[in-house]
Amino acid sequence: MALISKKKVIYPISAGLRRYLIKYGREVDIPIHYHELLRYSNSIALYDSKDQDTFWETVFYDQSDREEIHLNVKKIYALLKAGGDMSVMEHLYIDRIDLCIYGNTQPFRVRIVNRINDNFDYFYIKNADASRVYGLELEDLLSPNRISYLVHQNTLIEEHIAGIPGDKFMRQHMDDPNMNPIRLAKEFVKFNERCFVRLLGDMHSSNFVVDVTPDFEETHYRIRAIDFDQQSYEGKKSIYLPQYFKENNALINLGMQFITPESMRQYQKEERALIATRLKSSHKEIEDILHTMEKDKISLPENVDSLKKDLAKHYKNDKFLTCQNMGGILRKSLEQVL
């Protein structure tokens, strides 16, 4: 089973990564930063509809600060969703700002509501970590999912990724008579392959969501990562394979029950072919991000040494042993699908 024994090191955004973000329009001036949201005067624990502690706290600001903070947070949402056009924000208001008290970077989550129809959305304001930024960019380039995020100085803005949290899905939906176990197991195989190829680690059930889309004939499933802190950081191959996390056992057992080895290999090949297509269609951006990663420090030397040996053995390819950093290892991993 996969096990992470040490807390991850937080890496600042390097000058090279900053240049990449500016070049591709991810670096945008914002009116309020993460550290300014820490000026809250009070907080209370946030409970869900079943009175379970969510490990988030709703924070409150002094009257003198609240109006300005809420206006600036709305401006950030306009930048994220509408290119900065504040006219579309006329009917929106900030309902709540929550702070995650257990996360590595202690992110803020903003709930924004349309006062006309009570429709709501979320987005996140976080301390920028280079690993997470690389993970978000690779998700946008290599996965089936587009993702919106912005960076300014040491603040990261992320859109909310909708879906049923993986742990909740496995507790509450596995016995649903309308669930299609073969389609769900197939999607987990493909998700497992996506994570391994692009070296996104720590994908246990709390770090992904299941997006369920009913169709006229069948239900479709898409598993989406929501936590990108462990992009190309850990030194063990198993960390990059969701199949090795015990928290995912319900999905793993589903695959063992409904998918044959031949079908599994077919799904893996399908996913690698799709990744290869994305590599070719976004060749310039991929080359730029890999070049930036190769000049950046986003992991410990012992992790780099361990992972390149693991992957050299896995792929029977000694070229991995020449890699000097995580960027080089990721490049070799992506070359395997071409």
Side-chain angles (χ1 to χ4, degrees):
M1 287 295 168
L3 180 66
I4 295 176
S5 58
K6 295 181 180 178
K7 189 174 180 179
K8 180 190 170 295
V9 177
I10 304 298
Y11 292 99
I13 294 178
S14 64
L17 179 54
R18 187 81 62 188
R19 285 192 294 271
Y20 176 92
L21 295 169
I22 293 170
K23 179 178 179 179
Y24 290 102
R26 297 294 196 180
E27 177 89 13
V28 177
D29 193 12
I30 57 176
I32 192 169
H33 294 82
Y34 175 87
H35 67 88
E36 294 172 275
L37 292 179
L38 294 171
R39 301 199 314 250
Y40 60 90
S41 57
N42 200 0
S43 67
I44 58 171
L46 180 65
Y47 293 87
D48 64 18
S49 59
K50 296 183 178 179
D51 288 329
Q52 298 295 311
D53 193 346
T54 63
F55 301 105
W56 289 76
E57 292 184 352
T58 298
V59 299
F60 302 95
Y61 297 91
D62 289 336
Q63 183 69 35
S64 56
D65 292 331
R66 185 167 64 244
E67 188 173 335
E68 181 185 4
I69 287 173
H70 282 198
L71 176 61
N72 286 333
V73 167
K74 278 176 62 176
K75 288 179 180 178
I76 288 179
Y77 186 75
L79 287 166
L80 187 67
K81 295 291 187 177
D85 182 2
M86 280 297 292
S87 66
V88 302
M89 301 293 115
E90 182 180 350
H91 302 297
L92 301 183
Y93 68 93
I94 303 302
D95 178 52
R96 207 174 67 222
I97 299 177
D98 304 323
L99 174 65
C100 179
I101 56 176
Y102 72 91
N104 263 357
T105 53
Q106 296 200 325
F108 286 95
R109 179 180 63 197
V110 180
R111 177 180 158 111
I112 189 164
V113 180
N114 186 319
R115 60 167 49 90
I116 294 176
N117 56 20
D118 289 331
N119 192 29
F120 61 89
D121 193 9
Y122 296 98
F123 68 100
Y124 300 84
I125 301 174
K126 305 179 179 183
N127 255 327
D129 170 26
S131 303
R132 175 174 279 273
V133 173
Y134 281 119
L136 286 164
E137 187 65 16
L138 289 165
E139 178 75 3
D140 190 61
L141 293 171
L142 294 177
S143 82
N145 317 298
R146 307 300 290 179
I147 191 163
S148 181
Y149 73 94
L150 300 170
V151 179
H152 188 246
Q153 296 177 6
N154 295 319
T155 296
L156 171 65
I157 311 298
E158 279 182 48
E159 71 173 355
H160 176 66
I161 299 172
I164 304 169
D167 49 355
K168 181 179 179 180
F169 184 91
M170 283 181 252
R171 283 197 312 270
Q172 300 180 3
H173 297 271
M174 297 301 287
D175 296 325
D176 185 345
N178 297 314
M179 185 188 76
N180 187 319
I182 297 175
R183 283 179 175 266
L184 181 57
K186 174 183 177 180
E187 173 58 19
F188 185 71
V189 170
K190 292 167 78 70
F191 176 67
N192 193 72
E193 201 66 14
R194 285 197 295 273
C195 294
F196 187 52
V197 168
R198 45 82 52 106
L199 299 180
L200 177 61
D202 199 26
M203 280 300 110
H204 57 77
S205 59
S206 297
N207 287 340
F208 62 78
V209 296
V210 183
D211 184 9
V212 183
T213 307
D215 201 356
F216 71 96
E217 202 168 33
E218 280 291 355
T219 299
H220 294 272
Y221 303 93
R222 173 66 55 78
I223 299 178
R224 297 192 59 180
I226 58 172
D227 192 334
F228 302 92
D229 287 351
Q230 289 283 349
Q231 175 63 51
S232 303
Y233 176 75
E234 288 289 338
K236 296 178 182 177
K237 180 188 78 172
S238 60
I239 299 297
Y240 301 100
L241 287 159
Q243 72 188 66
Y244 285 117
F245 286 91
K246 68 180 187 301
E247 296 89 344
N248 302 338
N249 276 349
L251 292 176
I252 296 165
N253 293 336
L254 208 63
M256 294 171 67
Q257 184 178 355
F258 289 99
I259 293 185
T260 65
E262 293 79 10
S263 294
M264 185 180 72
R265 285 191 290 271
Q266 176 196 330
Y267 300 150
Q268 289 172 324
K269 288 179 180 178
E270 286 177 6
E271 193 59 36
R272 284 175 172 262
L274 289 171
I275 294 171
T277 299
R278 296 181 196 113
L279 282 169
K280 293 170 185 174
S281 64
S282 302
H283 175 75
K284 189 174 186 302
E285 294 91 337
I286 294 291
E287 186 55 39
D288 281 353
I289 196 70
L290 288 176
H291 181 73
T292 302
M293 282 184 77
E294 287 169 332
K295 293 181 176 298
D296 210 345
K297 180 181 179 181
I298 54 172
S299 187
L300 303 173
E302 56 266 32
N303 288 356
V304 173
D305 189 57
S306 174
L307 184 60
K308 70 183 183 182
K309 290 176 181 176
D310 272 7
L311 294 183
K313 183 178 179 181
H314 174 84
Y315 286 112
K316 298 180 175 60
N317 183 350
D318 287 345
K319 289 183 179 180
F320 279 97
L321 300 177
T322 66
C323 297
Q324 301 300 309
N325 50 56
M326 284 296 184
I329 295 175
L330 178 59
R331 181 185 291 277
K332 285 288 181 288
S333 180
L334 294 176
E335 285 174 0
Q336 301 302 305
V337 306
L338 291 173

